[in-house]
Amino acid sequence: MAAAATVQRPELEAVEKASNLQWPLPPEHRPSVPATGPGDEEEAPVRPLCKPRGICSRAYFLVLMVFVHLYLGNVLALLLFVHYSNGDESTDPRPQRRDQSPQSVPTLGPLTRLEGIKVGYERKVQLVAGRDHFIRTLSLKPLLFEIPGFLSDEECRLVIHLAQMKGLQRSQILPTEEYEEAMSTMQLSQLDLFQLLDQNHDGRLQLREVLAQTRLGNGRWMTPENIQEMYSAIKADPDGDGVLSLQEFSSMDLRDFHKYMRSHKAESNELVRNSHHTWLHQGEGAHHVMRAIRQRVLRLTRLSPEIVELSEPLQVVRYGEGGHYHAHVDSGPVYPETICSHTKLVANESVPFETSCRYMTVLFYLNNVTGGGETVFPVADNRTYDEMSLIQGDVDLRDTRRHCDKGNLRVKPQQGTAVFWYNYLPDGQGWVGEVDDYSLHGGCLVTRGTKWIANNWINVDPSRARQALFQQEMARLAREGGADSQPEWALDRAYSDARVEL
């Protein structure tokens, strides 16, 4: 190895001198060196790669390298331009998976949920700068809270005044025509319907089993007397015992039932809900007090701004003397036959029923009521829940005109106080689970004076993916089309610039 080293050095020096180069040549341009054995004494003659001052001169090399760098720079610039113009597509000629799939939908984080701790527990929060509010737990089933002084007296008067300026309409519950049309799309046989109503599966329909499912038609609240009167009119109960066998039910024509309901117009005190209401816009451009209330609700619920801002506007309700709202739940379960009202725009599904998917209810009392008008939670904090146990003999706990005093929990209206509760149970993964049956509530009969309330419902689809798609689509529409592309109920801007003297 030492001999080989001493042979290479003079040959390389000769080559460098001949070519007038001052730096080592690349390996592929170096002259080949014959192998030498132990007995080799003479050096092999070296042939120069090129003549001095030829194409291997330093000046030529520098010019060549300048052109090479310029060429490579232009090529790289062209490649980068193509790369970014195609949206970061891969140079792989094979079809890319991203191009073949729709735009990805972001995954939504978990929904916040306030802990109740125990009934009577209080915590301090700051919802308005420089002012403390206290949240008190009223029940754990449902998870229900009360916040005195959530609204000021001036804010309450303003909301009432805005509602009066806009005008209120009578509250209605599912018109008969829409109900019949929806029922016609569901392929239920007479036997299927009987089994659906027969909750204890004894083959006989008791009055309370029918009552539990007949809050339908023209919004009439059915009592045991109403059911027996209907049976007699359509000749559904020949023996008059108030109980229908499968044979008696099968011989009944359901069209006679709908005809009977249409022919008997219910009085206001016979309706499921006897009140008037309107909706007030709270989005961008709304009255500054309406915006402030929404921002306060946002801080209270600790939900994302996207969820709160895309929820229903403020509903303002007036109950006159004799007004009531029988016990109900604010949110309906989502079955294959139903879809959420707020996400139906993006669901691209055809179903016969839609329901209000309201994760939370925030209810505000806008005035002090002279007599009655409490908000009742008939089964709050019961050990168990059984729908059929709500009706025992002549007592129907859902009837807020007759039996409000028998409910487990009643909240008296106090001007400025807010109560809020969760209408769904958690699913264990940070999202919406089953409807909380204990959230059953109603408005007790107003015996004296007038009752004013307002509702902020926070809409969340039990389908996490569908809610994410809805939020993404609404954001896109807002960017591209502005307010004209928002849902219809978000376009109520008639009083967005109103300034009312308090």
Side-chain angles (χ1 to χ4, degrees):
M1 294 295 295
T6 57
V7 171
Q8 285 181 335
R9 182 165 302 171
E11 292 179 350
L12 290 176
E13 289 177 355
V15 172
E16 291 174 0
K17 184 177 180 179
S19 61
N20 197 28
L21 293 175
Q22 302 300 319
W23 53 82
L25 290 173
E28 63 269 22
H29 291 167
R30 290 177 185 172
S32 58
V33 180
T36 57
D40 295 332
E41 296 290 339
E42 297 181 359
E43 297 178 354
V46 177
R47 182 178 180 181
L49 294 177
C50 55
K51 297 180 180 180
R53 306 247 176 225
I55 61 171
C56 292
S57 68
R58 182 174 183 178
Y60 178 85
F61 187 81
L62 288 175
V63 172
L64 179 63
M65 292 304 296
V66 167
F67 278 101
V68 168
H69 280 82
L70 289 174
Y71 174 78
L72 291 177
N74 289 333
V75 171
L76 288 174
L78 180 61
L79 290 175
L80 288 172
F81 174 79
V82 173
H83 177 71
Y84 286 106
S85 297
N86 291 336
D88 293 344
E89 293 178 350
S90 172
T91 55
D92 189 343
R94 293 174 297 177
Q96 297 300 303
R97 183 176 181 180
R98 181 189 302 181
D99 296 337
Q100 305 300 323
S101 62
Q103 186 177 5
S104 60
V105 178
T107 301
L108 299 181
L111 297 171
T112 56
R113 190 179 180 91
L114 196 64
E115 293 295 331
I117 310 300
K118 63 179 181 179
V119 173
Y121 179 79
E122 288 191 355
R123 75 199 75 196
K124 183 171 65 174
V125 295
Q126 192 173 75
L127 304 174
V128 179
R131 182 183 174 189
D132 293 331
H133 286 86
F134 290 88
I135 302 177
R136 186 163 69 96
T137 302
L138 296 183
S139 74
L140 300 178
K141 297 189 302 182
L143 202 50
L144 170 66
F145 305 91
E146 179 184 52
I147 313 176
F150 187 88
L151 300 179
S152 67
D153 292 351
E154 292 79 9
E155 289 172 329
C156 291
R157 289 197 293 268
L158 173 65
V159 172
I160 292 174
H161 198 55
L162 287 175
Q164 290 173 327
M165 287 176 62
K166 182 174 181 187
L168 291 85
Q169 61 183 10
R170 178 174 290 279
S171 306
Q172 298 292 336
I173 304 292
L174 198 61
T176 302
E177 292 78 7
E178 294 182 11
Y179 171 65
E180 289 188 51
E181 182 181 354
M183 286 296 293
S184 65
T185 63
M186 298 183 65
Q187 299 179 352
L188 285 177
S189 67
Q190 205 94 333
L191 175 61
D192 292 333
L193 187 56
F194 181 88
Q195 293 175 340
L196 180 66
L197 296 172
D198 185 18
Q199 296 195 16
N200 61 4
H201 307 295
D202 64 350
R204 294 161 58 85
L205 291 185
Q206 313 291 333
L207 276 176
R208 63 175 186 170
E209 290 177 313
V210 178
L211 284 171
Q213 303 294 333
T214 54
R215 308 313 187 214
L216 302 169
N218 61 354
R220 182 175 180 177
W221 180 261
M222 303 300 289
T223 65
E225 296 79 13
N226 297 144
I227 296 293
Q228 290 179 317
E229 180 184 332
M230 181 185 66
Y231 282 173
S232 176
I234 64 177
K235 299 179 174 56
D237 183 21
D239 53 16
D241 62 353
V243 179
L244 296 185
S245 65
L246 176 58
Q247 181 178 357
E248 291 173 333
F249 186 83
S250 299
S251 62
M252 182 177 67
D253 191 339
L254 291 180
R255 289 175 297 183
D256 292 337
F257 164 75
H258 296 309
K259 183 178 179 180
Y260 174 84
M261 296 299 293
R262 285 196 303 269
S263 65
H264 287 71
K265 183 179 179 180
E267 300 296 329
S268 59
N269 60 356
E270 297 175 318
L271 296 174
V272 172
R273 181 181 186 179
N274 180 19
S275 64
H276 292 75
H277 74 274
T278 191
W279 301 90
L280 296 179
H281 177 63
Q282 291 182 284
E284 294 295 336
H287 191 284
H288 67 94
V289 171
M290 303 302 296
R291 287 296 296 158
I293 293 173
R294 170 157 282 182
Q295 293 304 311
R296 210 172 302 164
V297 169
L298 178 61
R299 289 190 289 272
L300 171 68
T301 62
R302 302 177 188 175
L303 293 168
S304 71
E306 293 79 9
I307 287 179
V308 176
E309 291 288 357
L310 291 174
S311 292
E312 296 170 68
L314 187 74
Q315 185 194 57
V316 183
V317 187
R318 184 190 70 222
Y319 295 90
E321 191 166 309
H324 70 278
Y325 195 171
H326 289 306
H328 60 282
V329 291
D330 282 346
S331 196
V334 178
Y335 298 124
E337 298 83 13
T338 64
I339 197 167
C340 294
S341 301
H342 75 287
T343 55
K344 66 178 181 180
L345 298 173
V346 298
N348 196 25
E349 300 174 25
S350 178
V351 293
F353 293 106
E354 66 180 65
T355 187
S356 299
C357 300
R358 294 161 171 168
Y359 175 60
M360 292 181 65
T361 297
V362 185
L363 185 152
F364 312 104
Y365 296 111
L366 302 178
N367 74 322
N368 297 313
V369 183
T370 306
E374 300 92 345
T375 302
V376 63
F377 292 81
V379 293
D381 283 331
N382 257 17
R383 291 176 63 88
T384 58
Y385 176 85
D386 178 13
E387 185 176 13
M388 295 310 300
S389 66
L390 295 171
I391 307 173
Q392 296 292 340
D394 293 334
V395 177
D396 186 345
L397 290 178
R398 297 168 301 178
D399 191 331
T400 59
R401 294 186 64 89
R402 299 181 179 183
H403 308 298
C404 219
D405 59 327
K406 297 179 176 63
N408 285 359
L409 174 64
R410 295 189 305 278
V411 183
K412 183 176 177 60
Q414 294 289 337
Q415 187 178 40
T417 293
V419 291
F420 70 97
W421 64 90
Y422 297 88
N423 295 302
Y424 289 92
L425 298 169
D427 68 346
Q429 299 180 9
W431 203 249
V432 172
E434 298 293 327
V435 170
D436 188 351
D437 294 324
Y438 291 91
S439 67
L440 183 75
H441 66 284
C444 296
L445 178 69
V446 177
T447 57
R448 289 185 61 193
T450 302
K451 170 186 173 184
W452 286 89
I453 66 167
N455 293 299
N456 255 153
W457 285 300
I458 310 301
N459 301 113
V460 176
D461 195 312
S463 168
R464 202 169 192 163
R466 196 157 53 210
Q467 178 70 28
L469 180 61
F470 167 71
Q471 293 180 199
Q472 183 184 59
E473 184 65 11
M474 291 300 100
R476 184 188 66 80
L477 290 175
R479 290 192 304 269
E480 296 179 1
D484 293 338
S485 300
Q486 294 299 308
E488 183 179 357
W489 44 256
L491 295 177
D492 181 12
R493 303 175 183 274
Y495 298 98
S496 60
D497 298 324
R499 295 295 179 268
V500 181
E501 294 296 330
L502 298 176

